Amino acid sequence: MGQVSDEKWRGSVSSEARRATADQIWSLYKDFFNFHRWFPTLAECSGVHGVNGEVGCVRHCSGSSLPNGSGVEDSWSKERLVAVNEEERTLRYEIVDGNIGFRSYVATVKVAARGDGCVVEWGFEVAPVAGLSLEELVQKYEKGLRATVRKMEDDVADG
């Protein structure tokens, strides 16, 4: 008989933006239904429930670089926004459905001022993911967040 583990992986990654302020990056990050504009190979992200940016709204994301690493274009997840704090520039979301191998996934994103720029922190708690180690998952997040922040900086600079 199989066993179910209550073990959780916890991790966080961060990336600094030197060419954009915390408020500029936050305004892009909190656009919950349009994350595909920033995340490197996320093909699509759109609202399926609620109002963009309001607690309880749900987005559908699909793309080939989602954490299952399969490279299959039909990888997808549905994610619900569970908390937003404008003052602290934080948002929390959870995966409620999908085929990317995550169970009980919750992430918190915080955008904090640092000098003339900012730092974006992405923390997560997830049940272990089959086929990945925690270190591999953190590496994927580091790469994804670094590329996301660069795209956001470029958009602000071109803006």
Side-chain angles (χ1 to χ4, degrees):
M1 183 179 254
Q3 290 184 318
V4 176
S5 171
D6 289 335
E7 178 186 359
K8 298 283 185 184
W9 287 349
R10 290 172 184 81
S12 66
V13 297
S14 64
S15 184
E16 190 170 358
R18 293 188 178 102
R19 299 179 292 130
T21 68
D23 286 338
Q24 289 170 317
I25 296 297
W26 173 244
S27 70
L28 301 176
Y29 225 106
K30 70 179 184 176
D31 184 5
F32 196 66
F33 291 170
N34 290 298
F35 195 54
H36 64 289
R37 294 177 56 198
W38 317 117
F39 199 76
T41 56
L42 191 59
E44 183 263 340
C45 179
S46 60
V48 295
H49 175 76
V51 176
N52 189 11
E54 288 187 5
V55 171
C57 70
V58 177
R59 67 185 177 193
H60 178 272
C61 298
S62 64
S64 62
S65 69
L66 294 170
N68 70 359
S70 68
V72 176
E73 289 296 326
D74 62 353
S75 296
W76 63 273
S77 65
K78 284 188 180 175
E79 303 171 353
R80 177 177 32 238
L81 188 59
V82 295
V84 177
N85 184 319
E86 290 284 342
E87 209 170 280
E88 295 183 8
R89 293 195 252 1
T90 61
L91 64 82
R92 180 175 296 208
Y93 66 95
E94 64 185 353
I95 293 180
V96 295
D97 197 9
N99 69 352
I100 60 174
F102 282 148
R103 295 180 295 115
S104 74
Y105 175 93
V106 177
T108 302
V109 175
K110 178 176 177 121
V111 181
R114 180 178 284 172
D116 292 336
C118 66
V119 63
V120 178
E121 299 170 4
W122 184 6
F124 63 90
E125 180 178 295
V126 63
V129 180
L132 283 179
S133 68
L134 175 58
E135 294 76 21
E136 290 168 324
L137 186 59
V138 168
Q139 288 173 355
K140 286 178 178 284
Y141 276 44
E142 285 174 338
K143 182 179 177 182
L145 181 60
R146 195 169 37 250
T148 298
V149 170
R150 294 301 157 259
K151 281 184 89 170
M152 288 178 168
E153 276 188 305
D154 291 346
D155 185 75
V156 168
D158 293 344

